[in-house]
Amino acid sequence: MGILTLPSMFALACLLCVKKNIAGFKSHSDIHNYPTRNNNNIYMKIYKYSTIQNSFENVSVNLYNKLPPNLKRLSYSTHRVVRDQLVRNLIYNIE
């Protein structure tokens, strides 16, 4: 039908926010100079309090890091591909 669940809409908004502001985030390759498996992932700061860990920014980065590499390489204007993936694989819970 092409209808997204509320958690899927939230995930899409998070992913688009990260993609739009990708220059403001540091990747693992910016933090250290040796190659690792996740060097293209965005670096997530570790916080002491769960309120900050569950913030919009951290949830957005976590969702972005879970994307397959082919979806990470897409430009912001091709967000329809990500939306179509979410329609095919609906999210009912974000954790």
Side-chain angles (χ1 to χ4, degrees):
M1 281 189 93
I3 298 174
L4 291 173
T5 61
L6 190 59
S8 294
M9 285 190 278
F10 178 74
L12 182 62
C14 289
L15 294 171
L16 291 176
C17 181
V18 170
K19 191 63 177 179
K20 187 175 183 181
N21 303 310
I22 196 75
F25 295 103
K26 290 184 179 181
S27 68
H28 284 280
S29 60
D30 296 334
I31 304 297
H32 50 74
N33 293 327
Y34 46 90
T36 60
R37 173 178 42 178
N38 297 318
N39 66 345
N40 291 328
N41 282 352
I42 295 175
Y43 177 73
M44 287 185 58
K45 297 176 190 169
I46 306 298
Y47 293 103
K48 181 177 178 180
Y49 300 107
S50 63
T51 305
I52 298 171
Q53 289 175 349
N54 296 329
S55 68
F56 180 77
E57 181 178 321
N58 277 8
V59 171
S60 300
V61 169
N62 194 17
L63 286 170
Y64 184 80
N65 285 341
K66 290 180 181 179
L67 282 177
N70 61 335
L71 291 179
K72 286 182 185 178
R73 285 190 293 266
L74 293 174
S75 66
Y76 178 78
S77 61
T78 58
H79 68 277
R80 290 288 283 172
V81 176
V82 177
R83 185 187 183 288
D84 293 341
Q85 282 288 101
L86 286 171
V87 166
R88 276 185 253 130
N89 304 310
L90 291 174
I91 298 173
Y92 291 101
N93 191 6
I94 295 180
E95 289 185 37

